[in-house]
């Protein structure tokens, strides 16, 4: 089967500042694909590049066989990719209800309402907070809201950038469980950037190790976890 | 006399003009994060629309008429809205996209101000020519108007009260309430708040951020233009009439905190009253002290400058940032 | 229409404008270019210099002269058939107060002109005194402004400075006649009677000398440790925190020096023109144009500033020359086209070449090690301690 996402020899960065060098990767449908690497190695940049938020100098990105290189983010969103940024992934000044409404912005209003009630069924805790401003939510609730917002458009591929950053371990585990459920129950392909490499690699199918904007490892997630050197060298994993 | 009704009415017109201008200036600041030094000249363009209406509709012959407002309010809304939109689309957006620093963007708005004043001056020269060479005796009388016209003689009165004293506050209330409803009750208004708070996220959700910002600039310009229509009833028409006024407008926005439209409107109103009544009472006090009549109307901006300094040093986030609940209970107005 | 071109006059006027704008734009560049202080009220400081000369300087010199040379002044008045009718012996003590109205201004200048013609050395002395006064008050104004300047974010400071400048120039300057005679202005006596008929040329030469001196001074500041520190802080907010106190002091000094420079230019302009009218000190002439010159020439580059000044001044002179040709063709005053053109130039420049014609030299910018060394050299006496700090074993 052809991969759902294919990144080929991509050089990308911000303005004239190149961050990614000749990055390639293939993501199979319904996989959890994990991207790990030290701080500042370009993990977020890689996600942003897939979503059209950086400048691509070279290479190509194909999604579902369709060329999406150089498309603006709102067009890429329409192809079925959702991106959850590392920070500021909800509108803090808007209420939960308004946030969901904005997530359904491009849908016709009856469909929008249907989808909103669907995700509220999935995440009942949001139902109780509909009238509250998003800034009053806790960190974990905010991640849930961000997830709910992306689900409204029924994406086929979701890009998560450190969804558990700054969360207590128990909450973090809950969020990661939700992500696994998204794959298992809804069949959504996941690309996950995680600070906690061990947890992520345990739940992942395939993995990519990025160091200094270059690919150092590409292959099975468990294999990376058990790799004799790479884990210790770059990810702070004990041998 | 401690309270002066006519002064109060005049102040209502002037203060609502500042309310409208400070509110619309705040809108452009929230959207583009640059103080627009051309904003008061937007109002001046609106003021010129009144002269054009007075001329083209023949109001200079017939005398005071509601036509002044019927025609110039929508006209100035559209014309000045378009000017503001162009400023955003042609100048500020491309420069911001190139990563020009805030200093660069500010000097660009000063440049736009110079350009607009230049265009107003050219228009004034044109109008002077047209009026002077007209066979119409009444029109020839308008020849001094483009550079120093008092257009208040063409505005109607309602039960002895000049229309601007009523229309000004009305316009301010309608636009504040209208804005509130628009921003909270409509999908596009909500999208506007979303795009202002986090443009990147809004973009990824399919909100056309550029459209939202363009609409904001257009509305802000339109409001400034309508403010200019009211304003010209309280002052003398001149191409550089915005240059000193900008002090008061910024004072209003800063008092409001440059972060909320509602507080921008309140800030402008307060500054208008502060200026007018500050001047009035200072005149009375100085007059009593010196035994002469003192006229300080030309120095009203002293109070605005004072408001800017005090506000920036004491509460740089403006009135919007104060804890009103606490203040009210301290004052014994609320338990 | 024939155009008369007097090359001598043209060159002289060009030199005058270039010199005056060089001083002002160099001072703006010290603040905005090197230090990141967006002074949008530059015209206030230029006006301050001119206003001090016209209001304080005029009165002070009239007072000094009428006290020290009472008899001579009295004689001058009595010799003049017109003046002797209006001024009596009893007025001598309060001659200075005649500057309050336009007629008195004329009368007094007549007396003073004659007096300075007889005592040119005294004219020079008073001229120097007034210049010092203008520079000192300019510096004080800078000190005053430095309080908000050290506390406010860039755009708030820009708003405050622009508002203050408009207030002083367009409200007080225009309407409060005792200051500089409102929109009719005040005339100055001919302090520099030494130059005889060539006063304008003389003052122009003085301005050129001042501009050269200011250029050398600005270069020295830019290349000093303080200058390096300023640029580093402008470019990196984090560095500001670590260098805290020194930065505040250097920033304040920059504002004071720049304000004094602008006031010096304003004072010399006043003496050159022989009068002060507040309408000449508007935002367009003394804030917008200096910014335009800086951006065109090169931000944070003194030589760039000079180039920018020259380009825009030549452009202005060119417009002055073609204006009479254009006037019959276009149905409006061509000067507006110049203003509109300048506005466009600024915007296009920002778009196409924001670093200016001569960009800032990269080799001389941020080098934290160098700055660190400068601070260390400055603050720590003990060699041993220096070594420890360098090796990271102790904090300064
Ligand atoms: N918007 C930007 N403009 C310019 N450079 C950027 C931008 N965002 C990130 N960078 C730079 O790109 C490099 C990679 O950053 P990136 O955020 O992709 O790393 P990361 O692997 O996600 O790190 P972290 O684990 O800290 O999230 C860094 O050097 C960073 O400074
Ligand atoms: Mg990251």
């Amino acid at each position: 089967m052809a991969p759902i996402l294919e990144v080929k020899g991509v050089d990308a960065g911000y303005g004239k500042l190149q961050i990614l060098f000749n990055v390639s990767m293939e993501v199979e449908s319904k996989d959890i694909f994990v991207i790990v690497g030290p701080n500042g190695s370009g993990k977020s940049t890689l996600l942003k590049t897939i979503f059209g938020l950086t400048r691509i100098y070279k290479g190509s990105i194909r999604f579902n066989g369709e060329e999406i290189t150089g498309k603006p983010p709102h067009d890429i969103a329409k192809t079925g990719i959702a991106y959850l940024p590392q920070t500021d992934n909800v509108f803090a000044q808007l209420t939960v209800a308004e946030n969901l409404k904005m997530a359904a912005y491009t849908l016709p209003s009856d469909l929008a309402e249907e989808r909103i009630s669907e995700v509220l069924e999935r995440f009942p805790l949001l139902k109780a907070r509909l009238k509250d401003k998003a800034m009053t939510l806790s960190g974990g609730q905010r991640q849930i809201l961000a997830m709910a917002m992306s689900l409204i458009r029924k994406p086929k591929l979701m890009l998560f950038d450190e969804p558990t950053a700054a969360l207590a371990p128990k909450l973090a585990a809950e969020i990661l469980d939700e992500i696994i459920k998204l794959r298992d129950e809804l069949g959504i392909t996941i690309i996950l950037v995680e600070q906690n490499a061990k947890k992520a690699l345990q739940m992942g199918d395939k993995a990519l190790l990025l160091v200094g904007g270059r690919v150092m490892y590409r292959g099975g997630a468990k294999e990376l976890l058990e790799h004799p050197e790479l884990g210790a060298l770059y990810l702070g994993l004990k041998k | 006399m401690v309270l002066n009704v006519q002064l109060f009415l005049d102040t209502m017109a002037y203060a609502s003009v500042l309310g409208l201008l400070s509110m619309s200036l705040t809108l452009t600041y929230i959207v583009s994060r640059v103080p627009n030094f051309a904003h008061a000249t937007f109002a001046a363009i609106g003021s010129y629309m009144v002269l054009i209406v007075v001329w083209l509709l023949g109001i200079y012959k017939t005398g005071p008429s509601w036509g002044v407002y019927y025609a110039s309010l929508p006209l100035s809304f559209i014309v000045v809205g378009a000017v503001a939109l162009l400023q955003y689309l042609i100048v500020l957006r491309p420069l911001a996209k190139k990563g020009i620093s805030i200093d660069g963007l500010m000097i660009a708005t000063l440049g736009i101000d110079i350009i607009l004043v230049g265009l107003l001056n050219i228009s004034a020269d044109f109008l002077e020519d047209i009026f002077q060479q007209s066979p119409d005796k009444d029109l020839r009388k308008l020849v001094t108007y483009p550079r120093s016209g008092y257009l208040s003689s063409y505005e109607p009165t309602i039960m002895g009260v000049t229309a601007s004293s009523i229309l000004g506050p009305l316009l301010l209330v309608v636009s504040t309430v209208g804005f509130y409803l628009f921003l909270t009750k409509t999908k596009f208004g909500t999208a506007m708040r979303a795009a202002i708070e986090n443009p990147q996220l809004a973009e990824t959700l399919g909100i056309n951020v550029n459209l939202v910002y363009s609409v904001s600039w257009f509305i802000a310009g339109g409001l400034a233009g309508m403010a200019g229509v009211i304003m010209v009833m309280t002052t003398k028409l001149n191409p550089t009439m915005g240059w000193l006024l900008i002090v008061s407008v910024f004072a209003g926005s800063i008092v409001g905190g440059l972060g909320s439209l509602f507080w921008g409107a309140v800030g402008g109103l307060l500054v208008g009253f502060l200026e007018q009544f500050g001047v009035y009472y200072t005149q009375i006090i100085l007059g009593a002290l010196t035994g002469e009549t003192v006229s300080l109307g030309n120095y009203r901006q002293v109070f605005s400058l004072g408001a800017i300094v005090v506000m920036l040093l004491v509460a740089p986030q403006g009135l919007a940032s104060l804890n009103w609940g606490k203040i009210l209970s301290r004052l014994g107005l609320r338990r | 229409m024939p155009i008369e071109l007097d090359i001598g006059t043209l060159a002289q006027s060009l030199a005058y404008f270039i010199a005056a704008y060089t001083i002002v734009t160099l001072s703006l560049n010290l603040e905005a270019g090197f230090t990141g202080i967006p002074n949008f009220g530059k015209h206030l400081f230029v006006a301050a210099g001119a206003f001090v000369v016209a209001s304080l300087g005029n009165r002070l010199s009239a007072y000094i002269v009428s006290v020290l040379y009472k008899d001579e002044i009295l004689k001058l008045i009595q010799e003049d058939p017109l003046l002797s009718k209006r001024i009596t012996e009893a007025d001598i003590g309060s001659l200075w107060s005649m500057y309050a109205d336009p007629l008195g201004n004329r009368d007094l200048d007549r007396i003073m002109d004659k007096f300075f013609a007889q005592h040119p050395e005294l004219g020079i002395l008073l001229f120097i005194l007034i210049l010092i006064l203008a520079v000192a008050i300019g510096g004080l104004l800078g000190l005053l402004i430095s309080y908000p300047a050290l506390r406010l974010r860039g755009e708030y400071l820009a708003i405050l400075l622009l508002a203050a400048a408009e207030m002083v120039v367009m409200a007080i300057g225009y309407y409060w006649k005792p200051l500089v005679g409102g929109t009719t202005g005040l005339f100055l006596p001919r302090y520099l009677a030494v130059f005889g008929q060539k006063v304008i040329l003389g003052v122009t030469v003085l301005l050129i000398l001042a501009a050269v001196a200011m250029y050398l001074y600005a270069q020295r500041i830019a290349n000093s440790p303080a200058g390096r520190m300023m640029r580093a802080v402008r470019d990196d907010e984090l560095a500001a925190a670590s260098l805290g106190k020194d930065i505040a002091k250097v920033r304040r000094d920059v504002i004071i020096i720049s304000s004094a420079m602008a006031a010096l230019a304003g004072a010399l302009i006043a003496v050159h023109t022989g009068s002060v009218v507040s309408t000449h000190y508007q935002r367009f002439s003394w804030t917008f144009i200096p910014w335009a010159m800086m951006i065109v020439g090169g931000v944070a580059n003194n030589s760039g500033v000079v180039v920018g000044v020259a380009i825009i001044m030549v452009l202005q002179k060119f417009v002055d020359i073609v204006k009479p040709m254009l006037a019959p063709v276009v149905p409006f005053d061509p000067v507006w086209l110049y203003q509109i053109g300048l506005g466009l130039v600024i915007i296009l420049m920002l778009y196409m070449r924001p670093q200016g014609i001569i960009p800032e030299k990269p080799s001389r910018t941020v080098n934290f090690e160098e700055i660190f060394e400068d601070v260390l050299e400055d603050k720590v006496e003990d060699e041993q301690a220096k070594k420890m700090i360098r090796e990271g074993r102790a904090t300064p």
Side-chain angles (χ1 to χ4, degrees):
Chain A
M1 206 175 73
I4 186 167
L5 181 82
E6 202 177 354
V7 177
K8 255 196 207 152
V10 163
D11 286 356
Y14 305 96
K16 286 192 187 122
L17 180 68
Q18 184 172 352
I19 305 288
L20 298 179
F21 300 86
N22 194 26
V23 172
S24 300
M25 63 193 245
E26 290 181 358
V27 181
E28 301 292 336
S29 182
K30 301 195 174 115
D31 263 6
I32 294 183
F33 188 99
V34 180
I35 300 175
V36 288
N39 281 351
S41 57
K43 304 183 295 290
S44 302
T45 306
L46 178 52
L47 288 195
K48 286 190 210 164
T49 302
I50 295 170
F51 203 67
L53 289 166
T54 61
R55 247 181 81 181
I56 300 175
Y57 316 113
K58 219 184 98 223
S60 86
I61 303 174
R62 297 171 79 83
F63 176 63
N64 260 338
E66 183 191 345
E67 183 78 39
I68 57 168
T69 327
K71 279 197 180 175
H74 53 261
D75 284 345
I76 294 180
K78 277 185 212 138
T79 64
I81 301 182
Y83 163 61
L84 282 89
Q86 192 166 356
T87 52
D88 299 327
N89 47 20
V90 300
F91 299 109
Q93 301 289 337
L94 268 52
T95 65
V96 170
E98 285 171 337
N99 266 289
L100 293 171
K101 212 159 98 187
M102 287 301 105
Y105 189 77
T106 51
L107 304 177
S109 61
D110 45 345
L111 185 61
E113 269 172 41
E114 193 187 307
R115 294 274 178 88
I116 289 175
S117 44
E118 261 176 53
V119 297
L120 285 178
E121 289 307 315
R122 187 167 194 90
F123 304 112
L125 79 92
L126 294 179
K127 232 186 213 166
R129 306 292 304 268
L130 279 177
K131 291 228 162 63
D132 296 336
K133 281 195 178 173
M135 62 188 216
T136 65
L137 299 182
S138 70
Q141 291 167 333
R142 256 190 240 194
Q143 286 300 341
I144 296 285
L145 174 58
M147 240 187 257
M149 286 167 70
S150 340
L151 282 180
I152 282 182
R153 300 148 146 280
K154 293 227 182 292
K156 295 187 210 81
L157 170 66
M158 287 176 84
L159 317 176
F160 284 94
D161 195 350
E162 300 197 16
T164 67
L167 290 187
K170 190 164 160 282
L171 272 176
E174 280 174 27
I175 298 285
L176 292 179
D177 281 348
E178 286 293 348
I179 292 176
I180 295 176
K181 270 202 243 161
L182 293 181
R183 194 264 311 264
D184 294 349
E185 292 171 13
L186 302 174
I188 298 172
T189 311
I190 307 278
I191 299 182
L192 175 65
V193 170
E194 249 302 319
Q195 200 63 258
N196 187 338
K198 195 168 170 204
K199 274 241 171 68
L201 291 175
Q202 279 166 353
M203 70 188 256
D205 302 303
K206 294 279 165 50
L208 180 109
L209 171 61
L210 210 55
V211 178
R214 290 180 171 81
V215 177
M216 290 294 264
Y217 172 91
R218 190 172 34 219
K222 310 289 177 309
E223 284 82 350
L224 177 56
L225 195 56
E226 281 145 21
H227 194 281
E229 285 132 32
L230 287 176
L233 213 56
Y234 297 113
L235 304 171
L237 299 174
K238 277 192 224 104
K239 273 199 190 161
Chain B
M1 190 169 175
V2 178
L3 256 185
N4 180 323
V5 176
Q6 188 53 48
L7 175 71
F8 183 79
L9 289 174
D10 290 350
T11 304
M12 279 318 286
Y14 178 68
S16 353
V17 166
L18 286 189
L20 283 167
L21 289 174
S22 297
M23 174 167 75
S24 45
L25 177 75
T26 305
L27 178 57
T28 60
Y29 182 77
I30 297 175
V31 167
S32 296
R33 291 283 139 196
V34 52
N36 178 18
F37 288 111
H39 198 73
T41 298
F42 284 0
I45 301 174
S47 299
Y48 272 85
M49 293 303 134
V50 180
L51 178 62
I52 287 173
V53 163
V54 165
W55 163 42
L56 290 180
L57 295 191
I59 295 173
Y60 65 93
K61 268 200 214 117
T62 55
S65 150
W66 283 100
V68 171
Y69 289 115
Y70 291 149
S72 22
L73 283 176
L75 182 67
S76 58
F77 186 87
I78 292 168
V79 170
V80 184
V83 169
L85 180 62
L86 288 179
Q87 164 169 0
Y88 168 68
L89 286 180
I90 301 183
V91 181
L92 290 182
R93 192 168 81 107
L95 288 181
K97 265 199 171 162
K98 283 210 70 179
I100 297 296
S101 69
I102 176 124
D103 288 4
L105 295 179
M106 286 194 290
I107 198 70
T109 71
L110 266 195
I112 288 162
D113 187 68
I114 291 293
I115 294 173
L116 293 179
V117 169
L119 291 173
L120 281 180
N121 268 309
I122 288 178
S123 318
D125 283 357
F126 262 116
L127 289 173
E128 277 172 353
D129 266 12
I130 292 172
F131 295 162
Q132 186 154 33
Q133 282 154 21
S134 162
D136 183 342
K137 185 163 95 307
D138 293 322
L139 196 54
R140 280 207 296 275
K141 280 189 197 146
L142 289 189
V143 70
T144 58
Y145 275 59
R147 289 235 138 67
S148 60
Y150 281 105
L151 293 169
S152 51
S153 46
Y154 297 107
E155 73 164 334
T157 55
I158 306 167
M159 295 184 302
V161 177
T162 48
S164 53
S165 304
I166 292 166
L167 275 185
L170 197 67
L171 206 57
L172 181 62
V173 170
V174 166
S175 43
T176 313
V177 173
F179 247 127
Y180 176 77
L181 294 177
F182 171 65
L183 288 176
T184 53
K185 303 289 181 230
T186 70
K187 192 169 145 190
F188 191 77
T190 312
M192 209 152 138
R193 283 189 293 142
I196 285 168
E197 186 194 314
N198 188 340
Q200 208 174 43
L201 180 58
E203 184 84 27
T204 65
L205 297 176
I207 296 171
N208 189 337
V209 174
N210 187 32
L211 176 72
V212 167
Y213 282 17
S214 302
V215 169
S216 305
W217 270 88
F218 183 84
I219 296 178
L223 287 179
M226 294 207 295
V229 172
I230 309 288
M231 175 174 88
V232 79
M233 303 304 178
T234 69
T235 180
K236 201 164 70 174
L237 191 65
N238 184 275
T240 56
M241 62 202 290
W243 283 5
L244 198 50
L245 182 73
I246 195 80
V247 178
S248 312
V249 178
F250 271 120
S253 301
I254 284 177
V255 167
L258 269 171
S260 125
L261 300 184
F262 171 74
W263 283 106
V266 172
L269 260 184
L270 284 179
V271 163
F273 273 89
L274 174 73
E275 281 187 9
Q276 295 276 76
F277 281 86
V279 163
Y280 181 68
Y281 288 114
T282 314
Q283 278 175 177
I284 291 181
I285 293 168
L286 281 186
L289 288 178
T290 60
E292 286 167 42
T293 28
V294 191
S295 166
L296 299 175
N298 291 320
Y299 310 114
R300 53 162 68 144
Q301 266 83 15
V302 171
F303 292 93
S304 280
L305 184 63
I308 293 180
V309 172
V310 170
M311 216 58 208
L312 284 183
L313 296 181
V314 175
Q317 306 296 312
L319 292 183
S321 69
L322 300 182
N323 185 342
W324 287 99
K326 207 168 168 186
I327 291 172
L328 289 181
S329 54
R330 276 262 173 83
L331 292 173
L333 294 173
R334 208 176 82 172
R335 275 185 303 133
Chain C
M1 195 162 111
I3 316 162
E4 288 170 34
L5 259 188
D6 178 347
I7 299 296
T9 317
L10 184 73
Q12 195 180 313
S13 133
L14 197 58
Y16 154 69
F17 276 112
I18 288 180
Y21 270 107
T22 297
I23 301 176
V24 175
T25 311
L26 281 174
S27 82
L28 176 69
N29 195 33
L30 276 181
E31 290 172 324
F34 288 108
T35 320
I37 298 165
N39 193 341
F40 274 62
K42 198 77 218 170
H43 54 305
L44 170 62
F45 302 88
V46 182
F51 286 9
V52 166
V53 170
S55 60
L56 220 62
N58 268 2
R59 289 181 170 96
L60 192 68
S61 49
Y63 181 75
I64 291 175
V65 166
S66 61
V67 168
L68 294 183
Y69 296 84
K70 191 174 169 186
D71 298 335
E72 252 177 84
I73 294 283
L74 203 58
K75 206 167 127 244
L76 282 175
I77 293 173
Q78 280 156 356
E79 277 168 8
D80 191 319
L82 259 179
L83 292 179
S84 55
K85 265 188 236 150
R86 290 206 280 266
I87 308 172
T88 64
E89 193 177 344
D91 297 328
I92 291 283
S94 57
L95 268 190
W96 60 273
S97 66
M98 289 170 62
Y99 275 114
D101 79 306
L103 187 67
N105 180 197
R106 292 270 179 186
D107 285 353
L108 191 51
D109 273 358
R110 251 166 79 169
I111 305 169
M112 298 291 282
D113 284 355
K114 282 184 187 159
F115 178 81
F116 287 139
Q118 290 168 10
H119 296 273
E121 74 294 342
L122 212 69
I124 295 175
L125 268 178
L126 283 172
F127 168 76
I128 293 172
L129 176 73
I130 291 169
L131 225 51
I132 292 174
L133 205 62
V135 170
I137 292 184
L140 277 179
L141 196 61
L143 179 65
L144 183 72
I145 288 293
S146 74
Y147 285 100
L150 294 179
R151 284 163 187 77
L152 296 180
R153 274 224 321 267
E155 64 258 45
Y156 285 98
L157 181 62
I159 294 171
L160 177 63
L161 288 175
L162 182 112
E166 295 301 25
M167 238 310 298
V168 172
V169 175
M170 288 197 77
I172 298 178
Y174 275 34
Y175 298 109
W176 194 45
K177 298 229 171 207
L179 185 65
V180 286
T183 43
T184 42
L186 274 186
F187 289 88
L188 310 182
R190 283 195 204 131
Y191 292 108
L192 296 179
V194 266
F195 292 129
Q197 292 303 305
K198 301 233 187 274
V199 176
I200 294 187
L201 180 63
V203 183
T204 303
V205 171
L206 280 181
L207 258 163
I208 294 172
L209 292 178
V212 171
M214 289 302 128
Y215 176 80
L216 295 175
Y217 185 50
Q219 277 296 67
R220 231 188 73 186
I221 295 180
N223 295 328
S224 71
R228 275 198 293 277
M229 191 144 97
M230 292 328 301
R231 271 169 287 170
V233 171
R234 178 199 63 193
D235 296 340
D236 187 339
E237 288 283 333
L238 272 183
S242 63
L243 296 170
K245 257 192 189 152
D246 301 298
I247 288 309
K249 189 178 164 300
V250 177
R251 278 169 85 100
R252 195 190 61 211
D253 291 352
V254 165
I255 298 174
I256 294 174
I257 291 168
S258 309
S259 307
M261 280 169 76
L264 172 71
L268 286 172
I269 292 164
V271 176
H272 177 273
T273 320
S275 68
V276 171
V277 193
S278 48
T279 49
H280 287 174
Y281 297 91
Q282 279 180 349
R283 189 203 293 179
F284 175 71
S285 305
W286 296 106
T287 290
F288 184 73
I289 291 190
W291 272 90
M293 291 165 162
M294 182 176 79
I295 288 173
V296 167
V299 177
N301 184 320
N302 292 323
S303 335
V305 161
V306 178
V307 171
V309 169
I311 289 176
I312 293 205
M313 256 21 268
V314 169
L315 195 74
Q316 182 173 346
K317 278 292 146 207
F318 175 74
V319 171
D320 281 351
I321 294 169
V322 295
K323 222 165 77 175
M325 288 192 276
L326 223 53
V329 190
V330 293
F332 51 81
D333 189 338
V335 74
W336 313 129
L337 286 183
Y338 169 64
Q339 297 199 355
I340 293 172
L342 262 195
L344 290 175
V345 163
I346 271 297
I347 291 165
L348 285 179
M349 206 56 203
L350 283 170
Y351 192 75
M352 297 191 307
R353 206 179 156 80
Q355 72 276 39
I357 292 174
I358 308 184
E360 182 174 5
K361 295 189 197 87
S363 59
R364 295 214 180 137
T365 54
V366 199
N367 180 342
F368 275 101
E369 268 158 36
E370 218 173 309
I371 290 158
F372 188 63
E373 278 301 315
D374 289 338
V375 174
L376 214 55
E377 211 52 55
D378 208 37
K379 288 273 134 66
V380 185
E381 310 266 302
D382 183 23
E383 280 303 321
Q384 182 64 29
K386 268 185 207 170
K387 194 154 168 274
M388 282 180 66
I389 293 172
R390 275 196 204 102
E391 287 163 3
R393 282 184 286 145
T395 46

